[in-house]
Amino acid sequence: MIFFILIHIMVSTLLAYSFAILTGGLAPWSSTLSLLIGAAFARLSYKKLRVGLEDFSLQPVKNSVSGYIELALLLFLSFAAYKHFAWMFYFSDGQWKTLSLNNFGDLPLHINYIRYFAGGTQFPPLNPSFAADYLRYPLGMDLYNSLWESIGTYTPGHLFITGIVAFAMSFIALRAWGGWIAIGGFFLNGGLLGYEMLHGFPPNIAAENALAWKNIFLTVFITQRGILFAIPAGIVLLQFARRVFRGELTPTKLQLQIFGALWGSLALFHLHAFLILSVMIAVLALIYLSRPAVKRSFVLLLWAIPLGTLFTLYSTSFFQKAQIAHWRAGWMVQNEGFLNFMMFNFGPWLLFAVAVPVGLYFLRKKDILKEYVAAIFLFALFMNLMLAPWEWDNIKILIWPYIFILGAANIVIQALPPKARFIEVALAILLFSSGASMVIRTLDSASKAPSVISLEAVAKAKGVTRNVPITAIFAAAPVHDHALAYMGRVRVLGYEGHNWSHGINTRVQTSDLETLMGGHDDWRAAGRRLKATHIFWGPHEEMKFGPMPEGLKKNLTRVAAVPGYEVYELPRH
């Protein structure tokens, strides 16, 4: 299953991107064709890709302590994934809502991308939150979802299906990579704060915000669309590379080609994952460099480099965004001190991390010990070297050496003698209780979920822009929950938090937007610099800029109006 779906997503998305460039944008026919060809190609190739990687298929649960822990994790996490993806974007009491507070800011951004692509915009697309440049964000997963949107699939429906399927793939991949410790370690990580919740203490907001190593399932897997593809694809690539380099698997030409393409295409889905996985595959090659299999597998690079380089150069604007990389000693350590920070964020995982290499040493697993040391080094490196403006975003890098550490830990756990298997249960309770309490806290009644936007706001915005061309560029309030974001429309400036975290400097555009919306003397020149074609005026604009200046109204053509919402066309010269 996992190979079929990964290849289907990769091929369908790459084909759709190509069709969109050649034909000027997505259309229902090209979306349908991309999905069908992707499925057909995956159907023809996935059985051949499984050779040597059969453990990445559905395997029966073993009648053992490990098997029972895996089953418990499967039942609990499947329910949690169902709740979060089924209620990711749903309608209730006149409001569009989301179950997860972590999704409150990111969800409008991704819905905007999905509907923007599905609406037939030209490729490469402008950034709908920063119209002064092309969209540099790794758009792979949103583009894939837009194929279903384009052919008429209900938005909450395809968000749910892709999410739950990605969870299933990730569970299978983590299980094959590192058993129950990898599954629980990824989905149920947590710091000391989670143990306080177990005692019934309400979470302290300041403490919760100070927790840097937040639960990965809630803050990364649910919110970051690209990670849905990157986790299963990345783990498969790591396992494939490791087995080939160690001589445990003699790859076929098709495997090298497809897995090379999968490696390179990761840059389109999740750039951070592509970069760190490239480093980790290189580290594996160095560890096993003396083995003949390493040299034979370099054909992987012939497929990975062109795709990976193309999308990396485009996403970084030919490395112009490289300046966002910076040194920040200790990651997000503040005044609490490094040791307190580590204890608060990792708790008993610190002792576990020390015990694993001791176990590997006594088991004489020298190669795995080398891999473990390399993973610890990379984890320490990227706790200091930031690859994003917002330091917390480095968690997207840190999870990969962490996954490697979990894989090594599984080898030690599985070497326990039969009479000591109770240790597995004790470890699972100790290590997963904190993260489980955090996840349980989010599984409250959907009726209490926060509203992201009202149906009235979307309906009125849709009505007032009905006759405005899809190519329009709107000057509007730069807020995350603007109604235009739910319609796939382009704004000269979207939410500042999104733009800043993507490494975009909006200082000039912010000044020009204030000049234009304030109707100041230079408003015409500001509008031209912003490349705005229309002004949208609704509740958010009223709140941020006040009533629309009379000078603007007199000099602009009003093209549509509904109660509380107006759209004006800017002069073209």
Side-chain angles (χ1 to χ4, degrees):
M1 180 193 82
I2 189 171
F3 297 102
F4 174 84
I5 296 172
L6 288 175
I7 302 308
H8 165 68
I9 293 174
M10 178 186 72
V11 174
S12 298
T13 305
L14 292 175
L15 270 177
Y17 201 108
S18 303
F19 280 138
I21 289 177
L22 293 173
T23 63
L26 284 183
W29 71 265
S30 59
S31 298
T32 302
L33 192 58
S34 297
L35 290 168
L36 290 175
I37 294 175
F41 185 85
R43 180 69 181 84
L44 291 172
S45 60
Y46 86 98
K47 287 185 178 179
K48 297 177 182 178
L49 298 178
R50 291 177 61 235
V51 177
L53 296 166
E54 288 83 3
D55 48 340
F56 282 87
S57 303
L58 290 172
Q59 303 289 334
V61 175
K62 296 179 180 179
N63 185 19
S64 64
V65 173
S66 296
Y68 298 146
I69 295 174
E70 287 177 4
L71 182 59
L73 288 171
L74 175 63
L75 294 174
F76 174 68
L77 291 171
S78 295
F79 176 70
Y82 165 73
K83 285 280 289 188
H84 276 284
F85 286 113
W87 280 269
M88 174 169 282
F89 185 53
Y90 69 101
F91 183 73
S92 176
D93 300 325
Q95 304 286 325
W96 284 104
K97 298 182 177 182
T98 184
L99 184 66
S100 173
L101 279 172
N102 294 304
N103 243 339
F104 193 76
D106 285 347
L107 186 61
L109 178 79
H110 292 293
I111 290 177
N112 196 20
Y113 289 170
I114 290 167
R115 291 178 170 171
Y116 178 49
F117 303 148
T121 186
Q122 290 188 339
F123 268 62
L126 290 177
N127 188 335
S129 293
F130 186 72
D133 193 12
Y134 292 112
L135 180 59
R136 307 287 179 179
Y137 184 84
L139 51 81
M141 203 63 203
D142 287 330
L143 179 56
Y144 177 74
N145 273 96
S146 74
L147 304 183
W148 296 103
E149 184 85 15
S150 176
I151 63 176
T153 309
Y154 188 46
T155 305
H158 64 70
L159 289 176
F160 166 70
I161 291 171
T162 52
I164 208 71
V165 169
F167 164 76
M169 288 196 298
S170 300
F171 190 98
I172 292 169
L174 286 162
R175 183 189 184 206
W177 174 260
W180 63 261
I181 188 65
I183 298 168
F186 180 83
F187 288 111
L188 297 178
N189 71 298
L192 294 181
L193 183 66
Y195 295 107
E196 295 181 11
M197 297 181 193
L198 285 171
H199 293 288
F201 296 120
N204 181 287
I205 298 300
E208 194 168 13
N209 290 336
L211 189 68
W213 188 246
K214 301 180 191 298
N215 180 263
I216 296 169
F217 173 67
L218 297 176
T219 61
V220 180
F221 195 80
I222 296 296
T223 63
Q224 304 290 321
R225 301 291 303 163
I227 210 75
L228 298 178
F229 178 83
I231 291 299
I235 294 174
V236 167
L237 283 169
L238 284 175
Q239 190 73 300
F240 176 74
R242 173 199 262 170
R243 287 179 179 172
V244 170
F245 294 163
R246 289 167 65 102
E248 297 170 356
L249 169 63
T250 302
T252 65
K253 185 178 180 180
L254 179 65
Q255 283 181 318
L256 291 171
Q257 292 171 341
I258 297 298
F259 284 125
L262 193 66
W263 178 7
S265 66
L266 265 177
L268 176 63
F269 287 87
H270 200 282
L271 186 59
H272 285 100
F274 169 74
L275 294 175
I276 185 63
L277 280 167
S278 297
V279 171
M280 295 180 75
I281 290 173
V283 168
L284 283 173
L286 288 173
I287 290 174
Y288 301 108
L289 188 60
S290 61
R291 305 191 184 187
V294 174
K295 298 177 182 178
R296 292 199 304 268
S297 63
F298 274 111
V299 70
L300 272 170
L301 298 176
L302 298 179
W303 290 84
I305 287 177
L307 276 175
T309 301
L310 175 65
F311 292 125
T312 299
L313 290 176
Y314 181 76
S315 295
T316 60
S317 192
F318 288 86
F319 295 116
Q320 289 183 31
K321 290 188 178 182
Q323 70 271 16
I324 66 174
H326 60 284
W327 190 262
R328 172 70 160 78
W331 191 25
M332 295 185 69
V333 176
Q334 301 296 329
N335 298 325
E336 68 270 38
F338 182 73
L339 289 178
N340 287 336
F341 171 86
M342 295 296 289
M343 282 301 301
F344 179 64
N345 280 275
F346 297 99
W349 286 93
L350 291 176
L351 296 175
F352 184 69
V354 172
V356 169
V358 175
L360 291 174
Y361 175 80
F362 283 107
L363 290 171
R364 301 182 184 277
K365 302 287 185 179
K366 293 183 180 179
D367 288 338
I368 302 299
L369 183 58
K370 291 178 184 177
E371 294 179 12
Y372 184 88
V373 171
I376 289 290
F377 171 78
L378 289 173
F379 195 94
L381 173 64
F382 290 107
M383 280 192 69
N384 296 277
L385 177 61
M386 305 298 112
L387 299 186
W390 184 26
E391 283 80 6
W392 184 82
D393 269 344
N394 248 42
I395 197 171
K396 302 171 190 175
I397 294 284
L398 293 171
I399 59 175
W400 291 102
Y402 174 64
I403 286 172
F404 227 96
I405 291 168
L406 294 174
N410 182 59
I411 292 174
V412 176
I413 290 171
Q414 294 307 311
L416 290 171
K419 292 183 179 180
R421 287 296 179 179
F422 69 91
I423 296 177
E424 292 187 67
V425 177
L427 275 175
I429 294 172
L430 176 66
L431 297 176
F432 302 158
S433 295
S434 177
S437 68
M438 293 178 178
V439 173
I440 290 170
R441 179 172 165 256
T442 67
L443 303 180
D444 206 344
S445 170
S447 63
K448 299 179 182 179
S451 168
V452 291
I453 196 167
S454 69
L455 177 63
E456 180 185 14
V458 175
K460 286 186 174 182
K462 186 175 291 187
V464 81
T465 58
R466 184 183 306 276
N467 297 319
V468 179
I470 192 66
T471 54
I473 298 175
F474 290 93
V479 294
H480 76 276
D481 57 344
H482 202 286
L484 291 174
Y486 290 89
M487 297 161 53
R489 291 291 195 157
V490 179
R491 286 179 286 167
V492 296
L493 201 61
Y495 178 50
E496 174 60 22
H498 292 147
N499 287 325
W500 172 75
S501 65
H502 295 168
I504 300 172
N505 186 338
T506 62
R507 181 178 56 83
V508 173
Q509 287 74 18
T510 299
S511 176
D512 281 340
L513 183 62
E514 291 173 353
T515 298
L516 172 60
M517 303 299 268
H520 301 305
D521 293 340
D522 196 29
W523 68 266
R524 288 180 175 84
R528 287 193 295 270
R529 288 192 296 269
L530 290 168
K531 301 180 181 179
T533 62
H534 294 76
I535 289 179
F536 183 99
W537 210 277
H540 282 303
E541 288 69 30
E542 193 83 14
M543 185 179 298
K544 182 169 181 60
F545 303 107
M548 188 174 189
E550 289 299 322
L552 277 180
K553 288 185 177 182
K554 291 178 181 178
N555 288 280
L556 299 177
T557 302
R558 190 174 74 172
V559 297
V562 299
Y565 295 79
E566 296 176 317
V567 171
Y568 294 82
E569 187 173 9
L570 285 164
R572 296 178 183 269
H573 302 289

